Amino acid sequence: GGGAGGEGGGSSEAQREEPSGGLTAASLKHVRRQRDALAEDKTRLQAELAALQAKLREQREHVASLEARLREADEREAALRREVEDAKAAENAQKSRAERLEGVCGRLEDALAEREAEAARLRGALEEQRQLTKDVCEAAERRTDRADDSGERTALLERQNEALQSERLG
């Protein structure tokens, strides 16, 4: 068993020259440097990832805010469109009403002109009637005056007749 003891229980120098797994001290040092560099890269990348995730959250919040503002703007635009449509409908209704009123006004003006012409004709007829009434009254007055004169004359003639008859008889 002396040979096995010499292989397994060698000096520390022998172990340094022949490391376990077939790696040399230089390659082990190189692997450690790579591990340390990879650990630094991992730490740096984790920090970058955290920063990017924070930025992504901010961007998502910003997008959500922009989407909300866009919805509000769309709603305002729709409301304004409705207001414009309502205003146009009201304007059209006012135009239609104005046109109807202009027609009514024209008919009223025509009717007024007809009434004024009728009133002028009636005033003329009334004046003619007044003149005719005046003429009739004057003629009646003349007849009455003549009748009074005739009555007085008749009475005078009757008195004269009586006087003549009484002279004849008497």
Side-chain angles (χ1 to χ4, degrees):
E7 283 180 25
S11 71
S12 59
E13 275 184 40
Q15 283 179 348
R16 275 191 234 159
E17 286 178 13
E18 203 177 308
S20 62
L23 292 176
T24 64
S27 64
L28 189 56
K29 191 174 184 183
H30 177 70
V31 167
R32 282 186 190 138
R33 275 188 294 218
Q34 283 182 334
R35 182 200 64 196
D36 292 343
L38 287 174
E40 286 175 14
D41 284 347
K42 179 182 175 184
T43 303
R44 182 183 51 79
L45 288 173
Q46 285 174 336
E48 283 181 23
L49 177 63
L52 288 173
Q53 286 175 337
K55 205 170 215 176
L56 179 61
R57 277 191 300 277
E58 288 176 17
Q59 291 299 318
R60 283 183 179 157
E61 290 172 4
H62 186 64
V63 166
S65 171
L66 289 175
E67 286 174 344
R69 288 174 53 194
L70 179 61
R71 280 190 303 276
E72 291 171 2
D74 288 344
E75 290 170 2
R76 282 193 306 270
E77 181 182 3
L80 289 173
R81 285 183 193 273
R82 285 189 299 273
E83 284 182 32
V84 166
E85 289 171 6
D86 291 346
K88 284 181 181 178
E91 179 183 4
N92 289 337
Q94 288 295 333
K95 282 181 182 178
S96 176
R97 182 172 182 247
E99 290 170 359
R100 282 192 318 272
L101 290 176
E102 284 177 3
V104 168
C105 187
R107 289 190 299 276
L108 287 174
E109 287 173 350
D110 292 345
L112 178 61
E114 288 176 16
R115 296 298 183 266
E116 287 174 347
E118 179 70 13
R121 187 188 64 74
L122 289 173
R123 277 193 293 276
L126 178 62
E127 189 56 39
E128 286 176 15
Q129 186 65 37
R130 282 182 182 159
Q131 186 62 43
L132 182 60
T133 303
K134 181 180 175 186
D135 292 346
V136 167
C137 286
E138 287 173 357
E141 197 175 301
R142 282 192 303 269
R143 269 190 244 126
T144 303
D145 288 347
R146 274 191 255 141
D148 285 346
D149 288 347
S150 293
E152 287 175 14
R153 196 188 258 163
T154 303
L156 178 63
L157 288 174
E158 284 178 0
R159 281 191 305 263
Q160 287 174 353
N161 187 21
E162 284 176 15
L164 285 175
Q165 283 181 358
S166 27
E167 284 178 14
R168 273 192 201 162
L169 290 176

